[in-house]
């Protein structure tokens, strides 16, 4: 058992190891499920197990052989990771995985392994493969070579073609039971009260709750809630709040929190007018997040959204009381 794994990671890892040890591990694997549940870490651990030259008790990687050292250094010739690479100008990372990357990978997998008898490739995020790259990947999946493993990691498997998904053995991560997630957060050093607050805010997602707790995301959520309350009471102006929200790199997370807070508030209402108003604002908040990925002026888009929040808050007074 890997002591660093969360229980839900260990369950998936155990399933994959059982298949590997029984000779039933497929050439193509799809590790899928919500983001921030540790899918990539499980795939990497399994790769180290496959490639280790001196496994210890239970078949776990030793961490000390040449193969393990090369993987840790990122220089193992039989271990390949395909993800975003810089564009031709070298000014930023591409937003998709392109056919040249898959062709290079296919060539690498066609070579004889330099250490042992296996090669492992991890594609993450797999849903970023464009159409041409997807077609090239499919050819590799359809023509498996013994000892060659091609593992896809995806938070959005539905974006992969049905044909690619059908060629892969699926390992699906799901949100764990609430009590298990809470225990894990407490074991990570958080107090019970704070862990509960974060987990409830993250709708039961322990990885997201952990990220917020470690990076002041929970404080940011509280600040967003306070801003929305002030806007609803008329104690703050939409322009002023919008300029603050877009003043750093956290605007997308603020909008995510705002949308979640609107949804949580709507869930506790019995008044249909108010519920519909908050649901419409939730949709608008998510559209605004998408808009911010374009060339739109962020302050204007967020100002418009916050003005709409004031309108939604007005529906509380005219459309019925909150329960």
């Amino acid at each position: 058992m890997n002591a660093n794994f969360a229980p839900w990671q260990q369950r998936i890892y155990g399933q994959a190891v059982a298949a590997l040890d029984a000779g039933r591990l497929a050439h193509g694997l799809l590790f899928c499920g919500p983001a921030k549940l540790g899918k990539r870490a499980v795939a990497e651990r399994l790769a180290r197990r496959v490639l280790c030259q001196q496994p210890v008790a239970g078949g776990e990687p030793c961490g000390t052989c040449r193969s393990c050292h090369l993987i840790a250094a990122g220089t193992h010739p039989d271990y390949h990771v395909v993800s975003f690479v810089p564009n031709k100008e070298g000014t930023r990372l591409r937003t998709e995985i392109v056919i040249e990357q898959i062709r290079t990978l296919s060539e690498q997998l066609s070579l004889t392994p330099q250490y042992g008898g296996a090669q492992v490739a991890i594609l993450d995020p797999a849903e970023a493969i464009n159409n041409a790259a997807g077609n090239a990947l499919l050819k590799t999946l359809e023509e498996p070579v013994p000892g060659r493993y091609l593992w896809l990691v995806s938070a959005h498997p539905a974006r992969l073609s049905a044909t690619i998904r059908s060629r892969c053995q699926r390992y699906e991560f799901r949100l764990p039971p609430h009590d298990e997630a809470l225990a894990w957060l407490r074991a990570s050093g958080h107090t019970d009260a704070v862990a509960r607050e974060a987990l409830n805010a993250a709708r039961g997602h322990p990885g997201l709750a952990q990220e917020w707790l470690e990076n002041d995301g929970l404080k940011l959520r509280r600040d967003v809630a306070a801003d929305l309350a002030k806007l609803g009471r008329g104690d703050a102006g939409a322009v002023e709040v919008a300029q603050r929200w877009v003043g750093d790199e956290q605007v997308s997370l603020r909008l995510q929190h705002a949308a979640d807070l609107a949804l949580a508030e709507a869930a506790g209402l019995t008044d249909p007018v108010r519920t519909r108003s908050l649901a419409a604002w939730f949709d608008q908040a998510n559209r605004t997040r998408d808009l911010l990925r374009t060339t739109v002026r962020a302050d204007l888009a967020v100002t418009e959204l916050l003005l709409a929040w004031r309108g939604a808050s007005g529906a509380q007074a005219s459309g019925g009381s909150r329960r």
Side-chain angles (χ1 to χ4, degrees):
M1 178 174 178
N2 185 348
N4 295 322
F5 275 169
W8 53 91
Q9 290 177 291
Q10 188 60 46
R11 282 193 289 272
I12 298 293
Y13 180 69
Q15 293 169 19
V17 164
L20 175 65
D21 292 347
R24 294 183 286 101
L25 193 71
H27 160 69
L29 302 183
L30 174 58
F31 295 95
C32 60
K36 305 184 189 304
L37 284 181
K39 299 183 294 295
R40 171 78 171 265
V42 170
E44 290 173 342
R45 181 72 179 188
L46 190 62
R48 290 197 292 273
R49 185 183 180 104
V50 168
L51 296 173
C52 178
Q53 295 172 308
Q54 299 171 352
V56 297
E60 284 295 284
C62 66
T64 58
C65 70
R66 180 168 177 76
S67 183
C68 286
H69 281 307
L70 289 172
I71 291 177
T75 55
H76 198 300
D78 300 326
Y79 178 60
H80 318 285
V81 177
V82 179
S83 190
F84 299 127
V85 296
N87 60 11
K88 293 180 180 179
E89 296 76 22
T91 56
R92 58 182 175 82
L93 292 179
R94 293 180 182 269
T95 57
E96 58 183 13
I97 294 172
V98 297
I99 189 170
E100 289 82 3
Q101 293 174 266
I102 303 302
R103 284 174 174 166
T104 298
L105 176 63
S106 297
E107 291 172 2
Q108 291 169 330
L109 293 177
S110 69
L111 300 175
T112 301
Q114 294 189 38
Y115 293 88
Q119 289 197 64
V120 178
I122 296 176
L123 277 68
D124 179 28
E127 70 273 7
I129 297 172
N130 65 21
N131 288 335
N135 291 333
L137 177 68
L138 185 59
K139 182 178 180 182
T140 302
L141 284 169
E142 289 177 333
E143 299 174 358
V145 177
R148 310 302 194 272
Y149 296 103
L150 187 54
W151 300 343
L152 282 57
V153 178
S154 177
H156 305 283
R159 296 179 186 173
L160 292 164
S161 74
T163 311
I164 287 178
R165 296 198 305 270
S166 71
R167 297 294 188 274
C168 295
Q169 195 174 65
R170 189 180 183 111
Y171 289 93
E172 187 163 359
F173 288 65
R174 295 182 175 89
L175 294 185
H178 185 275
D179 289 347
E180 181 177 270
L182 184 61
W184 177 74
L185 288 170
R186 289 196 300 249
S188 299
H190 307 293
T191 66
D192 182 76
V194 171
R196 287 181 186 276
E197 180 186 0
L199 189 60
N200 290 336
R203 299 185 207 166
H205 192 315
L208 190 57
Q210 175 81 319
E211 181 177 277
W212 290 349
L213 287 167
E214 292 180 342
N215 299 296
D216 291 329
L218 196 57
K219 178 184 181 300
L220 190 71
R221 185 183 182 90
R222 295 177 187 136
D223 292 343
V224 168
D227 284 338
L228 293 178
K230 290 176 183 178
L231 285 165
R233 294 192 304 265
D235 293 341
V239 173
E240 167 207 345
V241 174
Q243 288 176 342
R244 226 174 348 99
W245 280 20
V246 303
D248 55 29
E249 301 299 316
Q250 303 268 40
V251 59
S252 181
L253 183 54
R254 286 190 178 91
L255 293 180
Q256 178 184 336
H257 284 315
D260 285 346
L261 289 164
L263 194 63
E265 186 170 347
L269 299 176
T270 57
D271 172 38
V273 175
R274 174 75 170 145
T275 300
R276 285 194 298 270
S277 178
L278 285 169
W281 194 86
F282 169 84
D283 290 338
Q284 185 177 354
N286 286 321
R287 287 197 300 272
T288 302
R289 285 182 70 200
D290 292 337
L291 272 176
L292 295 186
R293 300 188 184 99
T294 70
T295 57
V296 70
R297 271 189 57 178
D299 58 333
L300 296 182
V302 175
T303 297
E304 182 179 355
L305 173 69
L306 296 182
L307 286 171
W309 174 259
R310 296 184 67 175
S313 298
Q316 180 181 334
S318 60
S321 60
R322 242 185 324 185
R323 294 292 188 269

